Amino acid sequence: MDSHTKPLDEDLTKTAVLVDDGGRHYIPLAWQGDKPGGHHRKGVLRFPAPNEQIKSFELQIQGLGGESKRAFQWTIK
């Protein structure tokens, strides 16, 4: 992640959620990567595996870089 407007201080295990195409929410298990702060962070946000097969999902992060919500979508082929 990169931000040149505000430090990336968020605890992603508390501000992120994964939502699948069935509307099920998954809370992060852990963040492995750079510590909060600064304008650049790299790492892996780990979630539990879904119990059912999914076709798409969306990562939602609240308050990242000063925005109210950011969303990133993927489709599984």
Side-chain angles (χ1 to χ4, degrees):
M1 296 179 282
D2 294 309
S3 170
H4 293 285
T5 57
K6 183 181 177 213
L8 298 167
D9 294 331
E10 296 77 19
D11 179 349
L12 295 173
T13 62
K14 295 180 180 170
T15 60
V17 64
L18 198 64
V19 182
D20 70 20
D21 57 321
R24 292 173 290 272
H25 289 67
Y26 303 87
I27 304 301
L29 298 173
W31 167 258
Q32 295 173 311
D34 296 336
K35 295 178 183 178
H39 295 278
H40 308 282
R41 287 179 72 188
K42 183 166 60 170
V44 176
L45 191 57
R46 298 199 181 276
F47 289 89
N51 291 330
E52 300 175 29
Q53 189 169 7
I54 60 173
K55 295 180 182 177
S56 64
F57 59 94
E58 179 175 278
L59 174 63
Q60 301 174 356
I61 306 175
Q62 300 292 327
L64 183 63
E67 297 292 324
S68 61
K69 177 173 123 179
R70 294 193 184 256
F72 307 91
Q73 300 175 339
W74 291 269
T75 301
I76 300 171
K77 294 183 179 187

